[in-house]
Every structure is written in structure tokens, then in C-alpha cells.
Amino acid sequence: MVMGQDTQPPGEARPDVPERVSGDEPLLAARVHRPSDLMRLLAGLLAIAVVLGIAAFAHGTTSGLEQDINKGAVGAPDVFVKIAGLVSSIAILVLPVAFAIERLVKRDGLRIADGVLAAVLAHGVTLAIDLWVAKAAPDTIQDALTQPAGGGLTDPVHNYLAPVIAYMTAVGMARRPRWRFTLWTVLLLDAFTMLVAGYTTAFSIILTVLIGWTVAYGTLYAVGSPNVRPTGQTLLAGLRRVGFRPVTALRAEEVPETAESGDRGRRYIVSLEEGPPLDVTVVDREQQAHGFFYRLWRRITLRTVTTRRSIVSLRQALEQEALLAYAAIAAGANAPKLIATSELGPDAVMLVYEHIGGRSLDSLDDAEITDELARSAWRQVKALQSRRIAHRRLSGDAILVDRSGRVFLTDLRGGEIAAGDLVLRMDIAQFLTTLGLRLGAERTVATAVEVLGPDAVAACLPLLQPIALSRSTRATLRRLARERSQREREAVLAASEAAKREREEAKAAAHAGLPAPGTDPRAEKAEKRADKKAEKRALDEALDEAREEDLLAQIRRQVLLIRPQAPVEPVRLERIKPRTLISLIAGAVAAYFLLSQIARTPLSTVSEADWRWVAVAVLCSAVSYVAAAMSLLGFVPERVGFWRTVVAQVAGSFVKIVAPAAVGGVALNTRFLQRAGVRPGLAVASVGASQLFGLGAHILLLLSFGYLTGTEKSQSFTPSRTVIAGLLTVAVLVLVMTAIPFMRRFVSTRLRSLFAGVVPRMLDVLQRPMKLVTGIGGMLLLTGVFVLCLDASIRAFGHGSLSYSFASVAVVFLAGNALGSAAPTPGGVGAVEGALIGGLVTVANVPIDVATPAVLLYRLLTLWLPVLPGWICFNWLTKRGAL
């Protein structure tokens, strides 16, 4: 809050008191992390990678460039080169000091501290790169970055030039034209003299500049830039400049900032000495950048017609909001009237509106939102649509209701003029959902049809999908979906308990007063089957009664009652799905790594394989599907066909190729159990129990074999350092997750949801010991045959000349399998191969020319060859309704 020192009511001027306005408002952060700094950091890292890539793989280009420079430098006068070198060497040291003095005189010591920190970090980075180039870099990179000098080599990166560039960038010299011109003149002069004198190469100069620039922006993003956002005092001074005489400025109540609402600016209610108050919005660069990465991600993954520009300047934002404010009023819609705009320094602008006293739609009680108010809101939307103006933010906080009940549309900054049909229909779909969350689907659709007409409402059905809605609306729909699921779960559990009590009461009544019957196994089995069928029927009925439609489905149903022929097929708005994008990137990296490994493997190694061991590996791969079926059925108390389950596991080989390894198999097994007669909730619980028990067995086996691997070459039974380091790493990760509130809530929520369904299922399994033995035996057999398959693949190329232990191969398999399950690529392609090859070389001491073909053979037998049989089994099960 910013207010005058006196306590006089707003609107009444006191002639004896001069214009003295002072006060406080909520403290702003002293430093801010700018997305622009992060973008420059990422761009710098990419440029450094490109330069090193060119130096490594384009040796002809680099050597040719050096020869051209050397030829051109021959004619340069020696006196001129020496003078230029002397001047540039002095200037490059004097410039930072002169700029630091100038900043200190202006009391801007924070920027100098940032610059010094960036310079120190840049110096450390240059030393590290110099050491890497001298000791471990490929010869082509060393040749591109160094020159022979005095029996040695020149520095690959200039350890005095990069810190200067980092310092100058961090202190903001680039934003001052005179200093920027001087800096680049000195840098170019220094680079010229070093090139002509043969002390460096062109690629070394480029890499030095990029390192200094990148380290500077990395430092600024890490520690934050000084916050220059305007305060309330700056706002009042700006209002005076445009002719107003403010008395108080009260910070308006705001909704929590999100990626979509954070760029709406800070809002103030300003009272004047004379006249009604004003609504003032202040927009600065930091708020404008809020949610930048979310908007950028939406722009990448969604079709261009559905997204707004992710980067606009302050001037563009000011002009866009002013244009939309005037256009909305001209269209006949109720919108705040813009009466003034102004800049508040170089990094902020303000927009001054006439004050509208009222409350947002979100702050109204449900009883206050009448059908008449909804119709009035739809009239404002219709007015915008009639002039092809899209609002793009028709959520509850953008609808304002004044004291007289008039509806106003606010937050027009994100809108569009001359909008296309798709964007206009998205507005209707968004507002249908916004009102539906408060009024219900029936009343919302009725008021919309009454104002817009049935055709306009029906046309938006293909856009009525979560991806087309605002982020806050999607979050609300997800929360309601979780609440619906919880109610359905509680109803099913209550029905199960009621059905069990009824059966027990019926049995007690039937046997009351009768002698104990003889034990008839057939009768008991028939009675148990009847009880299970009755329980399943009761649960299905309870689930049908408790099942609720989500809001979007209710809206579609209401619209289809009015327009049965309305199109309902969703329009594809996504250009690419996030999982697909991540899989493509990971797949490209994996393919590069895998192809580089294959290129190092001579063809003669493959032709000399021992085919007896190859046959053993094929047999182990085939047995793995039987073991997988056992590990699944061991946690399913219901009767499910064994061999059909084996066929389902073979079908999973096809699914793994089109989905990540940890997702495809779970989805297929859950679907298979549901089609086999297991209720959906119990099917999910069974697969979850199998996965949870498998995770525990996986960890125990990994620790056990790791322990054995560390002790096999030592007489004392002590674990290896690798195992100890792994345990310490896991312990540190657990401590970090429990120490961070967000991570702690995330893990506890996931564990509660997991155990809520899995623990009761495990109790059912424990009542059938044979089932539990089958599940545990299947898991151990599955791990064993996979390890044997990998071991046979190694022996097929090792020809008995290798010395390694079965325990080390087991450790490598378990670690690689865990990494493959976490990888986003289908089947863990790339991640598994890299982990297995690296593990065999480092842990089992298998030569890389044996490890590479062995891993490729193992993956061929367990991943690629089963694809065709898996596809056949998948189609066979689908045709018979088993999937």
C-alpha cells in the first residue's frame, strides 16, 4: 500500500498540505531470475557445443581457415601490430576499472560484485577447458584451438580475455552504447593482434568470447539480477506527469500468479484530489516474462493458430492492450475505459483506466451467479465475437461484476483482433467451462444457447477439450476428477462391505438350527464361485451408480440434446505431444551413441560367434515370457488362463516398441486382466502389487549381487567401494527428497495412492500361499533367465577366453534394466545399450569389442526379434476380445 502521510479521506483536498506522498507497499524481491538470462545461457552453451563440434569433425575447415588468416597476416606492418597489441593490452585492463569507478560513483556496487563473481567463474572455466584440451580432448580440437609456440602450445582459451568479457557482460556494459563501442573496438583490436602474431587461432577467439558471455549470463541467472521494478512512489510520480493529482494508491487484491496470469501486471486503486478514483495497471519486464517458458512450450507443442506470441516487447504489450480496450468498447462490450498510458522508466509502463467497483466472478458465491447474470456475461462475449475479437482469457477472474450487476470483461491484454474461427470457438468453449464450474452444465448451456444461438454453441464442441482451456481451468478439472474418483472408490468399498455382510447374514440364517453339513469340496467351490459372482455383481452395480460424468462430458450431452447432429470429434490442437518430443530427442541421442558403438565393432567379430551359446541365449529369451506370466498371475487371486497370459506377455514385446518400457507393459497387463474378468480397480491393484514387489526384489538382488561382486576378489567379506558409494548416494537422495517440502509432498502423495490399492490386494494374495510362491518364483526366474541370456551372449563372442563372474553380469543387467525402465524412449532404446556396454567394460572387465556385440545380440533377442511375434499375438488377443 502506498498512501499519503495524512489521514484525510480520499477525494477531499487540503490546501494547506503540499503534495507529499510517501509510504510503503509489499516488499519486492531484491533480485529476480530473468528468463532472458537463462535463454542466453542456453544459447551460449549450444554455440560452444557447435564450435567444438566443428573443431572436432571439420578439421579441413579449421585448417583452411588458419591458412587463410596466416596468408593475410603476412602483409601486416610489424610496427602497427606491436602498437595495436600494446594499446589493446592496456585498454583491456583499464576499461573494467574505469567502468567500475563510474558505477561506484553512481552507487551501483551490486553490479560490480556480479561482474567480479562472473570474472572469477569465467577464469575457472577457462582453466578447466585448457586442462581438458591439453590432456583429454581429441587431437582435432587441440589443433583447432592451439598454435605451436616456443616448443609448446598456446592456450586454447585466453584466461584473461574471457574474464574481462564475463565482467563487462555481467555489469551491463552492453546496454550503454559508448561503453559497448569502446569494448568491442578493444576486443577486435586485441584479437587481430593475437591472430597476426600467431598467438592464437580464430576458433580460440570465438570460444573465448562465447565462454565469457555464457558464464556471465549463467551467473546473472543463478544469483539474480538487481530488481528495477517500479515502486508505488514511481507510479504516483508517473501519474503526475500525465496530469493527475493522486492522493493515495492502494494495491488491489490479486489472485496468485500463474504462468498465464503473471503477466497481467500489478494493479492499484488510486484516489485523486478531485474526481473519481482510477484503476492503474503497471507492467514491467519481469512480470511480462513470468510464465515465459510455459508459453514457449505451448507454442512449440500446439498448433500456431491456437497460441499467442511468447515474446513481445513492453511497447507492443502496451499498444496491444490499448487497441483491444478501444476495440472492445467500440464493439459494444462492457470493458474498462482506458484514459491514459505512460512509460515508467525504461523497464515498465502503466495503463490508467476508469475505476469499476465490483467483484470478480470467482469471488461471487454460487447463489449470487444467477441466470440473468450469466446471460449478461454471454452478451459481452457475443459483442466481442460480432467484431471477431477474441479474449483468450475468459476465466472467472477476468469477469467483473459491479455493484449494479453489470458485467465487464477485463484482462484484454492477451486478446486478438481479426481472430480466426478456431480461436473464437475456443473462447466459447472456455467460457462454457468457466460458467459450468459454477452453474452446472444444464444452466450454462441454456443461457449460452439463449444468447448465442444453438449453432454457435454446437460449433465449439470439437474445441471442448482440456488442451484448449486455460491452465487454471485445467487444474480445477483435474482436482474435480480426483474428487470423483475418491467418491467412486468409497462407494465401491461401502458396497463391498454391505454385500459381504448380507452374505454372512444369509449364511447364518440358512444354517441356523441345522446340523453341520458334511464337507463336500465341490459344493464349497460352487458356493465360493457364487459368492464371487454376487460380490462382483454388487460392486459393478455400485460403481455404475456412483460413476459421475466429468463437466466437459455433461456440457457435450446438453448441447447434443439441442443439436443432435453437432460435430463432436475433437479438433487436433497439438502439433506434437510432449512425450513424443522427449522420446524423439532421447531416441536421437541414443541412436547416435548406439551407432558409434556399432561402428567400432568389426564385422569379423559377428561372423566368429559361437552359435551354441547363441542358441542358449534364444532359449533363455523364450523362457522369460513364461516367467513374466508367472510373476503377474502370482498377484491375481482370480482365475486367469495361464497360457493366454503367456501370449499377452509376448504381445507386450510389440507394445514396448511403441511406448516407454515402464508404461507399455503396465498398460497392457492392466487391460488384459480387465478383459479377463478382473474388476478395473483390482486389475490396477494387481499390476501395482506385482510392480511394487518386483521393485523390492530388484533392489535386494542388486544390493546382494553388488556385495558379492565386491568381495569375490578379496579374502575378507567386505563390500566394494562402488556398493558403498551407491548406498550413500541413495541415502543422500532420500534425505534431499525428505528435506524439500515439495518433493516430500509429491513422494508421500504417490506412496499413499499406491498403497491405498496395493496393500489390500497383497492381503488377498497372502491368503493363497501358492499364488505368492508363483509370483515370487516368476520374478526370480525372470531375472535369472535374463541374466543367463546376457551371459550366454557374452560367451558367444568371448570364446571361453574371458574371466568374469556371474554376479558381476547380474549387477550390470539389474542396473541397466533399471535405467531402461526410467528412460523415456520406447523399450529403453539407447539407455539400456549404453548402460550394459559401460557396465560390462567397467564392472565385469569385458573388452569393449566383446561387450558391444554381446549387448547387441542380447537386445536383438529380447527386444527386436520378438516384435513380429508380439504383433501377431497382440492382434490375436484383440480379435478375441482379450485386449
Side-chain angles (χ1 to χ4, degrees), residues 354-409:
E354 288 184 351
H355 177 66
I356 302 173
R359 294 184 294 166
S360 67
L361 191 68
D362 283 343
S363 63
L364 295 177
D365 295 332
D366 291 343
E368 298 179 89
I369 306 176
T370 62
D371 289 350
E372 180 56 37
L373 189 146
R375 284 190 288 269
S376 178
W378 279 116
R379 292 189 192 99
Q380 311 314 311
V381 176
K382 183 179 180 181
L384 294 184
Q385 300 255 324
S386 66
R387 301 295 177 86
R388 305 195 70 79
I389 301 173
H391 188 284
R392 303 299 298 269
R393 281 176 171 168
L394 285 173
S395 54
D397 58 341
I399 311 300
L400 192 67
V401 183
D402 68 3
R403 296 181 182 86
S404 63
R406 295 180 64 196
V407 177
F408 289 81
L409 301 180

Side-chain angles (χ1 to χ4, degrees), residues 171-226:
V171 297
M173 181 180 288
R175 292 191 291 270
R176 292 167 173 80
R178 293 182 180 179
W179 287 98
R180 181 175 65 236
F181 175 77
T182 306
L183 172 65
W184 282 108
T185 300
V186 171
L187 290 178
L188 291 175
L189 188 62
D190 186 69
F192 170 76
T193 55
M194 288 191 296
L195 283 173
V196 171
Y199 294 145
T200 187
T201 66
F203 277 88
S204 176
I205 293 291
I206 296 173
L207 186 61
T208 300
V209 173
L210 288 175
I211 288 174
W213 189 75
T214 303
V215 171
Y217 284 112
T219 304
L220 289 177
Y221 186 76
V223 304
S225 301

Side-chain angles (χ1 to χ4, degrees), residues 416-651:
E416 295 180 14
I417 61 173
D421 291 336
L422 188 66
V423 178
L424 294 176
R425 287 188 290 160
M426 286 177 65
D427 261 7
I428 297 176
Q430 170 65 51
F431 201 50
L432 278 172
T433 309
T434 298
L435 281 181
L437 291 170
R438 305 300 304 275
L439 296 179
E442 185 176 357
R443 291 173 61 191
T444 299
V445 172
T447 55
V449 170
E450 185 176 345
V451 176
L452 301 180
D455 293 334
V457 177
C460 79
L461 287 187
L463 279 305
L464 201 64
Q465 47 184 306
I467 194 67
L469 306 177
S470 67
R471 197 180 193 183
S472 58
T473 305
R474 295 199 304 272
T476 303
L477 292 176
R478 286 194 296 269
R479 177 178 58 80
L480 294 176
R482 289 193 296 269
E483 293 175 357
R484 279 198 313 274
S485 299
Q486 181 63 26
R487 289 194 297 270
E488 292 175 3
R489 190 180 302 113
E490 292 174 354
V492 169
L493 292 176
S496 176
E497 292 295 332
K500 188 179 295 184
R501 285 195 302 269
E502 290 179 1
R503 289 196 305 272
E504 292 175 354
E505 292 173 358
K507 289 181 181 179
H511 295 290
L514 295 179
T519 57
D520 186 355
R522 294 183 179 180
E524 289 182 0
K525 290 183 179 180
E527 185 177 0
K528 288 181 179 179
R529 285 196 296 268
D531 288 344
K532 288 182 179 180
K533 290 181 180 179
E535 182 183 4
K536 181 180 178 182
R537 184 167 56 252
L539 293 180
D540 290 340
E541 292 175 356
L543 185 60
D544 291 338
E545 293 177 359
R547 185 174 286 117
E548 304 174 24
E549 279 187 317
D550 69 298
L551 177 63
L552 300 185
Q554 294 177 31
I555 294 175
R556 292 190 195 96
R557 180 164 49 81
Q558 292 295 327
V559 175
L560 290 175
L561 292 176
I562 301 170
R563 277 289 185 271
Q565 70 277 13
V568 293
E569 185 69 23
V571 174
R572 182 177 178 182
L573 300 177
E574 290 180 302
R575 180 186 288 118
I576 185 172
K577 294 184 178 180
R579 184 178 296 277
T580 304
L581 182 61
I582 295 173
S583 297
L584 288 175
I585 296 173
V589 175
Y592 171 77
F593 176 82
L594 189 58
L595 291 175
S596 64
Q597 294 293 332
I598 294 175
R600 300 175 185 175
T601 305
L603 294 177
S604 59
T605 303
V606 178
S607 62
E608 296 173 359
D610 188 340
W611 294 102
R612 293 172 298 177
W613 285 111
V614 173
V616 174
V618 171
L619 179 62
C620 292
S621 176
V623 175
S624 67
Y625 297 103
V626 178
M630 293 171 58
S631 65
L632 175 63
L633 293 181
F635 297 91
V636 182
E638 292 81 4
R639 184 178 180 82
V640 180
F642 178 77
W643 291 110
R644 181 164 285 197
T645 307
V646 174
V647 175
Q649 302 312 301
V650 178

Side-chain angles (χ1 to χ4, degrees), residues 8 22 123 125 138 257 328 411 427 429 517 571 615 636 642 714 754 776 829:
Q8 182 182 356
S22 63
H123 185 68
V125 172
E257 286 190 355
D411 292 327
D427 261 7
V571 174
V636 182
F642 178 77
S714 174
L754 177 65
I776 296 175
V829 174

Side-chain angles (χ1 to χ4, degrees), residues 224 263 275 396 418 619 621 728 850:
D263 62 340
L619 179 62
S621 176
L728 291 176
V850 175

Side-chain angles (χ1 to χ4, degrees), residues 4 40 61 165 193 471 581 709 717 719 742 767 816 866:
R40 292 186 177 99
T61 302
I165 295 173
T193 55
R471 197 180 193 183
L581 182 61
T709 301
F717 202 68
F742 168 76
Q767 297 176 6

Side-chain angles (χ1 to χ4, degrees), residues 707-708 710-720:
Y707 196 95
L708 293 175
T711 59
E712 61 188 8
K713 295 182 180 181
S714 174
Q715 295 180 355
S716 61
F717 202 68
T718 56
S720 66

